[in-house]
């Protein structure tokens, strides 16, 4: 292992707080990480970490070394990015992370067109519902549903979105009317799973905010599942408008409480391409973000985003 690679491994272990995590990000076993950092310590003649079976902490020398090494590595990354930015044709590997529903229904259908434009660029698309760490997990772009607040990150909004309440016509006709947020206590709400806490939806009307815990017999960490259950008439779902536009147009879903803005997190919503702040934006990142900015709105307007439709089953009325 080169000295540069050993320095990168040291920074990863220092930031992650464990050799195991550093190993996972670099394709190495914890024992290999420990051995290679030990070799670095021997070359420097200082101990960089205090090690116990349960804890890994930087020594004073390790803290001083990290303060010098990390900016140097960032400078090297900037130099590489500057060189890559001068390439006339983007090439190499582009690692992209996206929320599941957006990745499946919007990004994936656009990939054949993008890769036809840039045949020398390999795209690795990872889908999950968590917020990833771009630098630590070696991703180039993260497609998020909110603008990042971290000053080390840059973003470009690809799509303005709004969360809305929807239900199937069949569900609406056989259940009590929903005229105010408080009426939801009589209904089954299909909710996004956000941990063991109660599900809270926030309502805004004429500048007045109302928060309420909503009843739910079903939660999922995937918007696709909630979407399909809403279409099947199983309850009321809170979903991004672009994911249900086709179903609303076809009469499969109807919007509820249109006079309210509704969210389970923040009212500042949209789809953002997020990437690391750098003096020289790599050509592969610029090409992908520009492509999405030009094509995502059109893909969304096509409607009918989801590739398969589940058949409706016999419904059970809410309690």
């Amino acid at each position: 292992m080169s000295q540069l690679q050993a320095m990168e491994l040291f920074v990863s272990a220092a930031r992650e707080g464990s050799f195991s995590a550093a190993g996972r990000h670099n394709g190495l076993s914890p024992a290999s990480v420990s051995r290679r950092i030990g070799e670095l310590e021997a070359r420097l003649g200082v101990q960089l970490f205090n090690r116990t079976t349960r804890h890994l902490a930087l020594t004073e020398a390790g803290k001083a070394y990290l303060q010098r090494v990390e900016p140097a590595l960032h400078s090297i990354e900037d130099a590489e990015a500057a060189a890559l930015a001068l390439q006339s044709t983007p090439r190499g590997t582009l690692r992209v992370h996206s929320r599941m529903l957006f990745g499946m229904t919007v990004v994936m259908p656009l990939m054949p067109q993008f890769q036809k434009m840039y045949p020398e660029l390999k795209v690795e698309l990872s889908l999950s519902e968590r917020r990833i760490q771009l630098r630590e997990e070696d991703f180039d772009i993260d497609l998020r549903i909110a603008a990042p607040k971290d000053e080390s990150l840059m973003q470009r909004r690809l799509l303005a979105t709004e969360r809305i309440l929807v239900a199937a016509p069949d569900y609406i006709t056989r259940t009590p009317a929903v005229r105010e947020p408080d009426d939801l206590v009589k209904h089954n709400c299909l909710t996004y799973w956000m941990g063991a806490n109660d599900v809270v939806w926030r309502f805004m009307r004429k500048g007045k905010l109302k928060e309420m815990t909503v009843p739910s017999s079903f939660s999922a960490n995937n918007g696709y599942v909630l979407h399909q259950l809403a279409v099947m008439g199983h309850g009321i779902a809170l979903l991004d408008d672009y994911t249900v536009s086709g179903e609303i147009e076809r009469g499969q879903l109807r919007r509820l409480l249109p006079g309210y803005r509704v969210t389970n997190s923040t009212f500042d919503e949209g789809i953002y391409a997020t990437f690391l702040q750098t003096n020289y934006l790599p050509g592969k990142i610029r090409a992908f973000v520009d492509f999405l900015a030009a094509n995502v709105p059109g893909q969304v307007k096509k409607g009918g985003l989801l590739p398969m439709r589940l058949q409706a089953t016999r419904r059970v009325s809410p309690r």
Side-chain angles (χ1 to χ4, degrees):
M1 174 177 280
S2 69
Q3 185 171 352
L4 177 60
Q5 291 172 318
M7 293 162 61
E8 292 173 339
L9 200 56
F10 161 75
V11 171
S12 180
R15 291 306 180 199
E16 294 294 333
S18 77
F19 289 158
S20 297
R24 285 194 298 271
H25 292 157
N26 292 275
L28 298 171
S29 68
S32 295
V33 175
S34 179
R35 183 178 67 255
R36 292 175 183 183
I37 289 180
E39 293 170 354
L40 176 62
E41 290 175 321
R43 184 163 58 246
L44 296 173
V46 295
Q47 184 175 338
L48 299 174
F49 289 104
N50 287 318
R51 304 163 172 82
T52 67
T53 56
R54 294 185 178 182
H55 187 63
L56 183 70
L58 288 168
T59 63
E60 185 176 354
K63 293 177 181 177
Y65 189 62
L66 180 64
Q67 289 178 351
R68 295 295 185 92
V69 166
E70 195 166 27
L73 291 177
H74 291 170
S75 295
I76 292 172
E77 291 175 356
D78 284 346
E80 291 178 343
L84 290 172
L86 295 176
Q87 290 180 348
S88 58
T89 302
R91 57 175 56 90
T93 299
L94 179 73
R95 300 195 69 230
V96 181
H97 175 268
S98 172
R99 295 290 291 265
M100 290 183 184
L101 189 57
F102 186 76
M104 289 189 298
T105 61
V106 180
V107 179
M108 180 273 290
L110 293 173
M111 286 303 92
Q113 180 184 350
F114 177 76
Q115 296 203 283
K116 184 177 181 179
M117 294 171 61
Y118 302 101
E120 297 182 52
L121 186 59
K122 176 185 177 182
V123 177
E124 294 180 355
L125 177 62
S126 176
L127 304 178
S128 78
E129 296 301 302
R130 65 188 183 88
R131 175 164 294 184
I132 56 96
Q133 300 297 317
L134 284 163
R135 188 183 301 278
E136 290 80 355
E137 299 183 53
D138 196 28
F139 279 98
D140 297 298
I141 298 171
D142 187 16
L143 302 176
R144 300 182 178 181
I145 60 172
K149 295 180 173 60
D150 188 339
E151 293 183 356
S152 68
L153 300 178
M154 300 179 67
Q155 80 279 337
R156 182 170 178 182
R157 190 164 78 168
L158 306 175
L159 186 69
T161 65
E162 177 186 8
R163 291 193 179 100
I164 61 176
L165 292 175
V166 293
D170 176 72
Y171 178 89
I172 293 172
T173 58
R174 60 189 167 84
T175 57
V178 179
R179 297 185 178 90
E180 300 292 338
D182 288 337
D183 293 333
L184 293 173
V185 300
K186 305 173 185 177
H187 288 264
N188 181 41
C189 297
L190 307 171
T191 57
Y192 191 87
W193 187 81
M194 303 180 73
N197 298 328
D198 291 336
V199 176
V200 175
W201 286 354
R202 307 171 69 210
F203 299 83
M204 181 73 75
R205 185 178 185 181
K206 297 180 180 179
K208 294 183 178 181
L209 176 66
K210 178 182 178 63
E211 296 185 350
M212 62 176 292
T213 300
V214 296
S216 173
S217 66
F218 184 88
S219 294
N221 72 335
N222 187 300
Y224 179 86
V225 175
L226 301 178
H227 178 285
Q228 289 296 301
L229 286 174
V231 171
M232 293 168 63
H234 190 55
I236 298 172
L238 177 60
L239 297 168
D240 288 327
D241 54 358
Y242 76 90
T243 68
V244 295
S245 59
E247 284 71 18
I248 291 175
E249 183 177 347
R250 291 189 293 271
Q252 294 173 286
L253 291 173
R254 293 180 187 170
R255 183 175 181 176
L256 303 175
L257 300 180
Y260 289 85
R261 296 178 63 197
V262 193
T263 185
N264 60 352
S265 56
T266 174
F267 290 104
D268 181 21
E269 295 155 358
I271 302 295
Y272 293 82
T274 305
F275 41 95
L276 292 173
Q277 177 87 270
T278 177
N279 293 329
Y280 303 95
L281 186 65
K284 61 182 181 180
I285 295 179
R286 185 184 302 279
F288 190 75
V289 172
D290 286 347
F291 173 82
L292 290 183
N295 290 279
V296 161
Q299 176 65 23
V300 168
K301 287 179 181 178
K302 290 179 181 178
L305 297 174
L306 297 169
M308 68 178 187
R309 303 288 169 195
L310 300 182
Q311 295 298 317
T313 59
R314 189 171 181 269
R315 289 95 172 183
V316 178
S317 298
R319 296 176 182 176

